[in-house]
Amino acid sequence: MRKADFPLLVVGIILLVGGILALANPGGTFTALEVMLGIVALFEGIILILNYYRIKKYTGFRAKMGSWFGILLVVLGILLVLWPTGMATLFTYFMATWFIADAIKDLTMSWPMRKYFARGLYVTTLVLNILTLVGGIVLLFNPGLMQATIGVIIGISLLLSGTWCALFAFNSKIED
């Protein structure tokens, strides 16, 4: 007799619930991710600092670089855990500036290259870079948009993964 793959079904249900919660509160999803990223950065930074003392006599300058990076990660981790809202805004401004700078660079570079590109490729490059520039400007003036959007994307992804797991759990070939 065929029956459902119970562990996979449980995973599917958990993913579906997570997807619903993420869509119900996209900003909270972004904040939760920031806190988790902060915890990871904090622990990785501590490990890098501790490793510096273990390997400094063998590696010299490279170990010192690792310790400085570890200190930076510890500070970043603490800021993300204790001040996720402020860090989210700074992160969004950083991303917006990056998008704008990258789009301007690509637009500047594509103009002289237009005669070497096929017309369709040049127009596609132009349109994509203009959209990237507009997206960067929108994020610059509305940083909350990124925070809400990421939560929605994660929510939809969780719903799709949960649905797949549940469907697969009932349609797998496991038999008793």
Side-chain angles (χ1 to χ4, degrees):
M1 181 172 146
R2 212 167 103 182
K3 64 182 200 175
D5 181 354
F6 186 72
L8 190 59
L9 180 61
V10 170
V11 168
I13 292 169
I14 291 170
L15 290 171
L16 286 168
V17 169
I20 291 167
L21 292 174
L23 289 173
N25 187 4
T29 302
F30 188 77
T31 302
L33 286 172
E34 279 187 293
V35 171
M36 286 187 285
L37 181 63
I39 292 168
V40 169
L42 183 63
F43 281 111
E44 187 171 343
I46 291 169
I47 289 168
L48 285 171
I49 293 168
L50 293 175
N51 281 343
Y52 165 72
Y53 290 106
R54 288 185 31 218
I55 63 173
K56 70 179 178 179
K57 65 181 174 185
Y58 303 110
T59 60
F61 182 70
R62 282 179 279 187
K64 191 173 277 191
M65 292 286 290
S67 69
W68 285 110
F69 186 63
I71 292 168
L72 180 67
L73 281 176
V74 167
V75 170
L76 178 65
I78 290 170
L79 288 173
L80 282 169
V81 169
L82 297 180
W83 192 42
T85 307
M87 292 302 292
T89 304
L90 288 174
F91 177 73
T92 304
Y93 284 133
F94 172 76
M95 293 303 296
T97 304
W98 184 0
F99 290 165
I100 292 168
D102 197 45
I104 291 171
K105 173 193 64 87
D106 288 346
L107 285 169
T108 305
M109 288 175 48
S110 65
W111 177 254
M113 298 295 291
R114 73 188 183 286
K115 52 189 155 197
Y116 303 109
F117 290 157
R119 181 169 170 75
L121 178 61
Y122 175 69
V123 170
T124 303
T125 301
L126 191 65
V127 168
L128 291 175
N129 281 305
I130 289 171
L131 288 173
T132 302
L133 180 64
V134 169
I137 292 170
V138 168
L139 282 178
L140 196 60
F141 291 103
N142 188 1
L145 181 66
M146 180 178 182
Q147 297 160 19
T149 305
I150 287 177
V152 170
I153 291 168
I154 289 169
I156 291 170
S157 297
L158 289 173
L159 284 175
L160 292 173
S161 294
T163 302
W164 179 87
C165 285
L167 288 173
F168 192 79
F170 285 112
N171 292 305
S172 67
K173 303 286 184 196
I174 296 176
E175 295 181 21
D176 262 352

